[in-house]
Amino acid sequence: MSNQRVVELPVLDEPVVPCCPPLTERPLTAEEAERTAAMFKALGDPVRLRLFSLVASHAGGEACVCDISDVGVSQPTVSHHLKKLKDAGLLSSERRGTWVYYRVEPGVLAAMGQLLGAAAR
Amino acid sequence: MSNQRVVELPVLDEPVVPCCPPLTERPLTAEEAERTAAMFKALGDPVRLRLFSLVASHAGGEACVCDISDVGVSQPTVSHHLKKLKDAGLLSSERRGTWVYYRVEPGVLAAMGQLLGAAAR
């Protein structure tokens, strides 16, 4: 193994890029599946998926808890779910004044889309 | 929103086609999120995701439990997970003799990929 090719990346506040080839190419290893399943799991909750779509479709491509009021759960619950989406590498966040603003991580989604889309060919 | 783009689809043993526009277009409704989250949830388990990739990448595009031996769980557990993937509309199945063969539902995956990929643009 060449150490020159191994780059240690900061874990927090960096895009988490999926590891894996299209699903038709070869079976995922246990480790690859572990990493990728976490992203699918984050989108596997209806409230989180709705919140995710709210952020993704919000003007300017970002939203804070202050922009979200109609999903039928309390503001602390919204914050909790947004943090889970961030922890899964699907959203990034930036604090500005009182609020934390979330935006979609484009690279990760494109890679997930490719993972799935390629499997459908 | 145009109602002309909404199609009611049969529920049982038919391909389950996601209902929804790209995530950047507008927030999902509660009902749309409920339907789509079930698919992401099915892929949100590492063993299920591995099994899914095994089926997707298997010769001929299909596999039965008899083809799967190296995921570290028992055959009944494999069957249980394959059924969950089928229930979520991600796999279809056909019994031939002793075995049930599973294959990936192409349309659904393409649609999921589009849902995500489009959000990343």
Side-chain angles (χ1 to χ4, degrees), chain B residues 8 10 16 18 25 47 91 108 113:
Chain B
E8 285 293 328
V16 181
E25 219 172 279
V47 173
L91 297 179
V108 169

Side-chain angles (χ1 to χ4, degrees), chain B residues 19-54:
Chain B
C19 51
C20 317
L23 292 173
T24 44
E25 219 172 279
R26 61 163 173 79
L28 300 182
T29 66
E31 194 203 328
E32 288 169 344
E34 197 81 42
R35 290 168 62 188
T36 311
M39 295 186 181
F40 287 120
K41 190 177 179 182
L43 296 177
D45 176 273
V47 173
R48 272 204 298 278
L49 185 57
R50 256 188 109 186
L51 288 171
F52 184 78
S53 72
L54 270 159

Side-chain angles (χ1 to χ4, degrees), chain A residues 43-67:
Chain A
L43 296 177
D45 176 272
V47 173
R48 273 204 297 278
L49 185 57
R50 258 189 107 185
L51 288 171
F52 185 77
S53 73
L54 269 159
V55 173
S57 64
H58 203 262
E62 63 175 17
C64 72
V65 175
C66 57
D67 294 317

Side-chain angles (χ1 to χ4, degrees), chain B residues 95-111:
Chain B
R95 177 172 286 279
R96 293 204 297 275
T98 311
W99 299 105
V100 179
Y101 287 81
Y102 290 89
R103 64 170 52 242
V104 172
E105 281 287 352
V108 169
L109 282 185

